[in-house]
Amino acid sequence: MEKHIKLLIANDSNEFNRDYGRIFEKSGMEVLYTQKDGIKLLEKIESSHPDVVLTDLFMPRLDGIGVMKAIQTKTAGQGPLFVIVSNFTSPALEREVMMSGASYFAITPFNAADLADRIIQLCSMTGIVPQLSEKAQNTTSNEPSLEIQVTEILHQIGVPAHIKGYHYLRDSIIMAIKNPDIINAVTKQLYPSVAKQYDTTASRVERAIRHAIEVAWDRGDVDILNSYFGYTIHNTRGKPTNSEFIAMISDRLRLHMKSAS
């Protein structure tokens, strides 16, 4: 039987623990809870030895960075993985959090199922759980492998995982792979479909995706961008439009899947 990931959540909201905890448990994790207090969290980590800690960056008495540094000192770097959550970010803050030992930085509100998948991937990469379950390897659905492929491409291109547009882009690309015609109805079908999943509006989805592409174009590796979008778009026309970006990535992946089959 596969090892369950032991996830420790530091949060004072009963609603958060109930709703999000249920989703993490459905993903096969053993979920523990403690107060959103840095000192209490340290004590709980030492007593329960979790594999992963999900905690807010800002907490009373000791913040998330302080907790990570204290655990690193006590465990000589052999402590749990940290997923840090915040409702505020900046490039400098993100760098500080990641350099302090976080494995992932999530911005609230986030999709709990997506975060559960990310935690499982992180645990697989670090050897906490096996690389892939037999069930995942033998599944007849394209969903898990497709989601992982899209995720890897977005990371390569340089779309930061903590911004909303990242999740909207990933879902948009998956929709376009499954239904190529939707790319011709981005405003009327694609944006509203994504918005419904995240309980937001189509216009916010459109803006967030545009921002994600802009960030990738500012921070991303030029050679990787050119390999996906070509020198014409990058050097002459600037960044692709939302629909161009989604269409190019979805077409590339659809062709790859067709050739692989």
Side-chain angles (χ1 to χ4, degrees):
M1 185 174 178
E2 288 187 10
K3 178 185 184 299
H4 286 284
I5 296 167
K6 186 185 287 187
L7 172 67
L8 174 60
I9 298 176
N11 197 292
D12 292 333
S13 167
N14 290 330
E15 183 179 355
F16 179 98
N17 292 338
R18 183 188 68 242
D19 296 341
Y20 284 68
R22 184 167 57 237
I23 293 172
F24 292 131
E25 287 174 351
K26 283 183 179 179
S27 298
M29 301 181 198
E30 176 187 350
V31 184
L32 308 174
Y33 303 94
T34 191
Q35 294 173 245
K36 193 172 81 171
D37 176 293
I39 301 300
K40 293 286 187 184
L41 176 56
L42 271 178
E43 294 172 353
K44 188 68 173 180
I45 292 172
E46 292 175 358
S47 65
S48 62
H49 305 290
D51 298 310
V52 183
V53 174
L54 173 64
T55 180
D56 270 72
L57 174 59
F58 303 108
M59 294 182 289
R61 298 208 282 178
L62 190 65
D63 65 12
I65 291 175
V67 170
M68 288 189 290
K69 289 182 176 178
I71 289 296
Q72 286 173 356
T73 300
K74 292 183 178 183
T75 65
Q78 299 303 308
L81 303 180
F82 280 88
V83 176
I84 302 296
V85 176
S86 175
N87 59 5
F88 167 81
T89 189
S90 69
L93 181 61
E94 182 184 348
R95 281 194 300 270
E96 185 180 3
V97 169
M98 299 306 290
M99 289 177 66
S100 296
S103 296
Y104 193 68
F105 188 35
I107 302 301
T108 55
F110 54 80
N111 184 294
D114 285 345
L115 187 57
D117 289 342
R118 172 57 59 190
I119 290 171
I120 292 168
Q121 287 176 5
L122 289 169
C123 289
S124 296
M125 290 164 60
T126 53
I128 293 173
V129 294
Q131 285 294 321
L132 272 179
S133 68
E134 189 174 333
K135 179 181 177 183
Q137 290 176 339
N138 295 333
T139 182
T140 56
S141 170
N142 282 331
E143 191 80 24
S145 60
L146 177 58
E147 186 169 331
I148 289 171
Q149 287 181 70
V150 174
T151 298
E152 288 176 349
I153 288 176
L154 292 178
H155 287 172
Q156 289 173 5
I157 289 171
V159 180
H162 67 269
I163 62 177
K164 292 179 182 178
Y166 167 90
H167 301 286
Y168 300 163
L169 259 177
R170 184 173 63 185
D171 286 2
S172 297
I173 292 167
I174 291 173
M175 285 183 189
I177 291 170
K178 294 178 177 179
N179 178 19
D181 290 337
I182 203 170
I183 205 66
N184 298 317
V186 170
T187 303
K188 292 184 178 180
Q189 292 184 31
L190 188 116
Y191 294 154
S193 297
V194 174
K196 187 176 181 181
Q197 292 184 21
Y198 290 90
D199 192 26
T200 187
T201 65
S203 61
R204 286 177 180 169
V205 168
E206 188 273 334
R207 286 196 301 270
I209 289 177
R210 190 190 324 136
H211 172 66
I213 295 171
E214 288 171 352
V215 171
W217 240 247
D218 290 339
R219 299 185 189 176
D221 184 283
V222 172
D223 292 333
I224 292 176
L225 291 170
N226 285 333
S227 72
Y228 280 101
F229 300 99
Y231 288 86
T232 301
I233 285 179
H234 187 70
N235 291 333
T236 306
R237 294 178 52 206
K239 66 183 183 301
T241 64
N242 290 6
S243 57
E244 283 177 331
F245 187 101
I246 295 166
M248 288 180 182
I249 299 299
S250 61
D251 285 347
R252 180 169 177 148
L253 270 174
R254 196 183 304 108
L255 289 171
H256 174 75
M257 290 165 57
K258 188 178 293 186
S259 62
S261 63

